[in-house]
Amino acid sequence: MLKNVISGLLGLFWVFSCPAQNKIVSTKSADSNSKPRLVVGIVIDQMRYDYLTRFYNKYGEGGFKRMMNEGFNCKNNHYNYVPTYTGPGHASIYTGTTPKYHGIIANDWYDKEIKKSVYCTGDDSMKSVGTDTEDGQMSPHRMKTTTFPDENRLFTQMRGKTVGISIKDRGAILPAGHTANAAYWFYGKDKGYFISSTFYMDTLPNWVNEFNNSNVVASYLKPWNTLYNIETYTESGNDLNDFEGGFKGKETASFPYDLNVLKEKNGGFDILKATAYGNSIIADFAIAALNGEQLGQDNMTDVLAVSFSSTDYVGHNFGVNSKEIEDTYIRLDKDLERLFKALDTQVGKGNYTVFLTADHAAVEVPSYLQSVKIPAGYIDFKAQKNRFTEFMEIKFGTSDLIENVSNNQVFLNRAKIEELDLDLDDVQEALVNEIIMYPNIDKAYTATAMSSQEFNTGIEALLQKGFNQKRSGDVLFVYDPAFISYGKTGSTHGTGLNYDTHVPLFFFGKGIKHGQTLQKTEVTDIAPTMSALLGISFPNGAIGQPLEFVLD
């Protein structure tokens, strides 16, 4: 009796003293039908957050604005590591973790074991499907952790499907994860086909062959002009300027571009990648995949990972302030509307959930910034690398101590250091002390510091989250803001500064509230949020937290 009384009092104490716990308790029972039939992850390659606000008045009601009006807008969403590249970005979005854990430290990196550069999705053990070239020898084998689509496949006993689609192989492969049913990417050149890898299949499905044999891709080899009168494109700079690259065979980087004429000098069908039409091709293929792969047709949740890459190619070529980038986003908005309408029709409105984000943003063209008196500039990477080598020869009597310099990292020849009976920490520290004296080098750190200290704020914390002990270099360095190792035209990315880290994040559809927040969110929160929505395990390396305030 006494035991029961004490137990009851303790229960009352718990109820009245733990309001936070009570607040999140739900009386709703689990219902498999409450899950979306399809999750669509959309990544816009190189999309700055301010493209939403700069071009807002040019967008229609069915694309970006539909996500704003019906979904949840996280306005202060950032990358929480360096480097902000395509491979690491796509991996981080879907794994919920950073290069420190998932291991995709760049698009390409120097492999310290085999002593040569490797590509993030390259896999010589695979064969191409859909082409006789090496372009399909790909897989996600270098990504160490699971994605939320992997966890969904495991949860559904492999009955929930996963399909990845992109212009870029890495944009299709890394999001789809290790257990995907399929990943498809664009092979341009003389074909204009979508291809895959034997990692997923031995032959392309009939629906892909039908798409490849249709006239869809070839139909975009036409003039690319602005969708609306160019005079109304007041949200971007002059069409004719000194800050853009353009295409071979055309004297100026200005509208219009006759793609059928220019294709011969610009890689055949590859020219489409660097135009707004590349995104349209991806939308066409994704819509075809809904039916071809029978996505979202039962109560087992499927995942469709779509990456629009042409925004990145256009940004690299023409820059973030170009008429070309404005037109690309105006047209992308219409492609998103087409995709959402197809989802409404083929899956059913209320049966699917979408998130949209970017793999990184981009810097304004430094030469343009210089013209308006903002500090910016260019780094001579070759001269810098030679200076590293010369210093090592003077300091340690040999030029063989540096094996590789790439991705703002220096890889030392550890065997040579041991042979010369040098202390690795001393060599790293000496190089840091040298590099920090160079013009336009803002920060430099040793691998020892990254491995042995804990950084919680600033660029140091971002570098540490991007540092993988087995794969990263011996010394990491950071350029001054808006200083890049790149050509004098077009934009690039890779830093931990706001112009590279601040990207959109929308959720909308089944299970999502309508609202917005300026609370800071991070891309590593996306995968745990989708896992929470689906009631599945978080990806095994996830460090992000579910964004409870977006979930209905």
Side-chain angles (χ1 to χ4, degrees):
M1 179 71 176
L2 180 60
K3 183 178 179 180
N4 291 338
V5 171
I6 292 172
S7 179
L9 289 172
L10 286 173
L12 287 171
F13 175 79
W14 185 90
V15 167
F16 289 109
S17 64
C18 301
Q21 286 93 327
N22 289 336
K23 202 172 184 179
I24 62 173
V25 170
S26 173
T27 58
K28 292 181 180 179
S29 60
D31 178 6
S32 61
N33 292 326
S34 68
K35 297 180 182 180
R37 290 182 179 180
L38 177 65
V39 170
V40 182
I42 299 174
V43 179
I44 313 297
D45 205 323
Q46 202 191 113
M47 184 175 184
R48 291 164 56 110
Y49 178 82
D50 67 355
Y51 290 159
L52 290 173
T53 52
R54 272 175 59 196
F55 307 142
Y56 181 85
N57 291 330
K58 296 293 192 299
Y59 294 143
E61 297 299 319
F64 290 118
K65 285 184 181 178
R66 180 175 175 185
M67 299 194 83
M68 294 179 195
N69 294 333
E70 296 182 20
F72 202 98
N73 185 1
C74 298
K75 296 182 173 183
N76 190 20
N77 184 60
H78 288 263
Y79 273 84
N80 56 349
Y81 64 83
V82 173
T84 42
Y85 296 149
T86 296
H90 282 78
S92 297
I93 291 165
Y94 283 82
T95 63
T97 192
T98 69
K100 179 178 181 179
Y101 300 106
H102 63 58
I104 305 297
I105 64 169
N107 295 331
D108 305 85
W109 64 87
Y110 180 72
D111 189 307
K112 293 183 280 191
E113 293 184 17
I114 63 175
K115 308 298 182 185
K116 67 177 184 179
S117 182
V118 297
Y119 178 55
C120 61
T121 53
D123 190 344
D124 293 341
S125 70
M126 296 296 137
K127 294 181 180 179
S128 300
V129 177
T131 177
D132 295 329
T133 70
E134 297 177 352
D135 297 75
Q137 291 184 267
M138 305 287 168
S139 83
H141 73 109
R142 289 193 169 93
M143 185 167 63
K144 292 171 174 271
T145 59
T146 62
T147 61
F148 85 80
D150 283 327
E151 297 298 337
N152 183 64
R153 290 274 286 158
L154 293 170
F155 183 85
T156 61
Q157 301 303 309
M158 302 296 171
R159 292 193 289 270
K161 297 183 74 172
T162 301
V163 177
I165 295 171
S166 180
I167 287 284
K168 298 178 180 179
D169 48 65
R170 58 188 180 271
I173 292 169
L174 297 172
H178 303 276
T179 61
N181 299 84
Y184 305 104
W185 54 95
F186 186 71
Y187 174 79
K189 302 178 186 177
D190 61 330
K191 300 294 185 185
Y193 284 176
F194 280 87
I195 65 171
S196 192
S197 161
T198 52
F199 182 83
Y200 307 100
M201 64 194 73
D202 294 324
T203 58
L204 293 175
N206 288 336
W207 75 267
V208 176
N209 286 324
E210 289 173 6
F211 186 95
N212 286 341
N213 293 328
S214 71
N215 194 46
V216 171
V217 173
S219 70
Y220 289 106
L221 287 172
K222 60 184 180 180
W224 176 25
N225 208 342
T226 53
L227 184 63
Y228 306 126
N229 187 327
I230 196 169
E231 298 301 323
T232 68
Y233 282 32
T234 55
E235 297 80 13
S236 47
N238 295 330
D239 190 32
L240 187 61
N241 58 69
D242 297 327
F243 315 120
E244 302 175 13
F247 295 113
K248 294 176 182 176
K250 190 173 189 303
E251 197 169 316
T252 62
S254 57
F255 282 108
Y257 301 93
D258 191 331
L259 304 182
N260 195 45
V261 171
L262 294 171
K263 71 178 188 297
E264 297 304 324
K265 293 184 178 180
N266 294 274
F269 284 99
D270 278 340
I271 194 173
L272 293 171
K273 296 178 181 180
T275 74
Y277 298 143
N279 294 324
S280 299
I281 292 168
I282 290 298
D284 293 336
F285 192 75
I287 291 168
L290 290 176
N291 183 57
E293 300 283 351
Q294 289 293 289
L295 299 174
Q297 298 305 307
D298 56 34
N299 289 330
M300 289 291 179
T301 302
D302 299 324
V303 178
L304 174 62
V306 182
S307 178
F308 291 97
S309 308
S310 291
T311 42
D312 184 67
Y313 289 107
V314 174
H316 278 295
N317 192 352
F318 298 98
V320 306
N321 197 44
S322 63
K323 295 284 192 249
E324 288 79 2
I325 206 73
E326 179 168 0
D327 191 67
T328 295
Y329 276 89
I330 291 170
R331 291 176 181 272
L332 173 61
D333 181 63
K334 293 190 175 298
D335 288 325
L336 290 173
E337 182 174 1
R338 286 198 296 125
L339 178 58
F340 296 156
K341 284 181 176 178
L343 289 167
D344 290 341
T345 301
Q346 297 188 44
V347 183
K349 191 173 183 180
N351 289 329
Y352 65 88
T353 305
V354 178
F355 70 82
L356 182 149
T357 189
D359 58 349
H360 53 74
V363 66
E364 292 269 10
V365 179
S367 55
Y368 167 69
L369 292 177
Q370 289 173 331
S371 75
V372 293
K373 301 181 181 179
I374 292 176
Y378 296 89
I379 305 293
D380 186 336
F381 175 73
K382 187 175 180 180
Q384 186 184 70
K385 186 177 178 181
N386 290 339
R387 190 169 174 181
F388 293 160
T389 305
E390 290 171 6
F391 165 75
M392 299 300 273
E393 190 162 10
I394 293 169
K395 178 73 175 178
F396 298 105
T398 178
S399 60
D400 296 335
L401 291 184
I402 293 180
E403 281 189 346
N404 180 269
V405 182
S406 55
N407 298 312
N408 287 22
Q409 298 179 41
V410 181
F411 293 81
L412 295 173
N413 185 335
R414 297 194 175 194
K416 191 70 175 179
I417 289 172
E418 188 174 346
E419 177 188 321
L420 297 175
D421 199 27
L422 297 172
D423 182 81
L424 177 62
D425 290 352
D426 290 345
V427 176
Q428 289 179 354
E429 197 63 43
L431 191 52
V432 163
N433 290 334
E434 168 70 8
I435 290 174
I436 201 64
M437 301 300 293
Y438 295 175
N440 305 123
I441 296 287
D442 188 44
K443 299 281 191 299
Y445 299 92
T446 66
T448 301
M450 289 290 118
S451 299
S452 60
Q453 299 178 42
E454 184 174 355
F455 301 105
N456 296 313
T457 60
I459 189 65
E460 297 83 359
L462 301 184
L463 285 168
Q464 191 167 55
K465 285 189 176 71
F467 178 82
N468 185 280
Q469 195 170 7
K470 289 193 72 171
R471 293 181 175 179
S472 297
D474 290 278
V475 170
L476 292 71
F477 55 92
V478 178
Y479 296 137
D480 281 340
F483 275 78
I484 60 175
S485 178
Y486 197 69
K488 296 294 177 71
T489 59
S491 301
T492 194
H493 48 87
T495 76
L497 292 156
N498 286 326
Y499 54 70
D500 280 337
T501 67
H502 190 193
V503 297
L505 176 56
F506 286 115
F507 298 90
F508 101 107
K510 190 174 183 66
I512 303 299
K513 292 179 181 176
H514 174 227
Q516 60 186 28
T517 184
L518 282 169
Q519 177 180 325
K520 187 173 183 179
T521 59
E522 296 177 333
V523 292
T524 49
D525 297 329
I526 298 171
T529 301
M530 301 317 295
S531 291
L533 175 70
L534 299 179
I536 61 176
S537 293
F538 291 5
N540 59 18
I543 62 171
Q545 297 298 316
L547 301 176
E548 185 179 4
F549 49 82
V550 313
L551 299 177
D552 190 359

